[in-house]
Amino acid sequence: KLDEIRSVLADNTAVYVAHPPGTPIDDIVALAGRVQQMGLKATPHIIARKLESRDQLERALARCQELGIGHALCVAGDITADKPAYDSSLEVLQTGLFKKYGFRDVGIAGHPEGSKSIGEERVEQALRGKAEFAKTAGFNLYFATQFGFEPQPFIDWEAETTAKGIHLPIH
């Protein structure tokens, strides 16, 4: 349905390319390449716990660069590979590969309504670690949240995040 999607989106609109279970990362990158070629801003999901090796990550990001993709969403993910190479998105960010392959903007998970799967303490540690990493990343880091139907949790989370001295943009 890419042609249908393209007909309703303005040029350079960000299109997140999800990485569903059972789909190889190469397929996600290929689809993101098609989205990018359509004049949209492809933003493929890079899921830390689905990655089996640094080499797999590097190949995917190198291919993104070849396809003109400079945006990604890097999250830890709930579904894991049999033997994941990474446990967190921060570990993936710290490889330096996003910078090496010319990424300009990388989204990271924001959890305005918390995360039951990892708990409040680990969310807090991740938040601070990513904010610290952003200072020297060499590309723009921003929080991407899931959508919600009630605005108040998002408003409160933005205020709490700012009060902690964390000033990354929130999308």
Side-chain angles (χ1 to χ4, degrees), residues 2-87:
L2 287 180
D3 290 334
E4 185 178 328
I5 291 167
R6 181 61 183 106
S7 72
V8 296
L9 296 178
D11 288 349
N12 209 32
T13 298
V15 175
Y16 287 82
V17 182
H19 189 166
T23 305
I25 193 169
D26 294 341
D27 291 355
I28 301 309
V29 171
L31 178 57
R34 290 178 55 204
V35 169
Q36 188 74 22
Q37 290 171 342
M38 297 176 85
L40 301 167
K41 184 171 37 177
T43 308
H45 291 194
I46 305 297
I47 301 177
R49 295 183 187 123
K50 282 189 181 183
L51 295 166
E52 297 172 346
S53 68
R54 179 185 170 99
D55 186 57
Q56 182 187 42
L57 171 63
E58 186 154 17
R59 283 192 321 268
L61 298 183
R63 182 68 182 130
C64 283
Q65 184 182 49
E66 291 169 7
L67 294 167
I69 298 168
H71 306 272
L73 175 66
C74 183
V75 297
D78 294 332
I79 298 171
T80 64
D82 290 337
K83 295 180 180 179
Y86 304 98
D87 185 52

Side-chain angles (χ1 to χ4, degrees), residues 76-160:
D78 294 332
I79 298 171
T80 64
D82 290 337
K83 295 180 180 179
Y86 304 98
D87 185 52
S88 72
S89 56
L90 183 56
E91 290 176 19
V92 173
L93 294 168
Q94 290 172 331
T95 65
L97 295 174
F98 283 104
K99 182 176 179 181
K100 177 179 178 179
Y101 290 104
F103 279 77
R104 294 176 299 284
D105 296 288
V106 178
I108 53 176
H111 299 281
E113 298 178 301
S115 174
K116 292 176 187 168
S117 64
I118 61 174
E120 194 173 316
E121 184 177 327
R122 194 162 176 203
V123 167
E124 178 71 20
Q125 289 173 343
L127 184 77
R128 292 192 179 282
K130 292 170 190 173
E132 189 62 32
F133 172 80
K135 295 175 184 176
T136 59
F139 51 84
N140 300 316
L141 214 58
Y142 65 92
F143 288 115
T145 71
Q146 294 182 330
F147 68 89
F149 296 104
E150 296 295 327
Q152 200 59 51
F154 295 85
I155 294 166
D156 294 345
W157 187 72
E158 187 277 333
E160 291 165 12

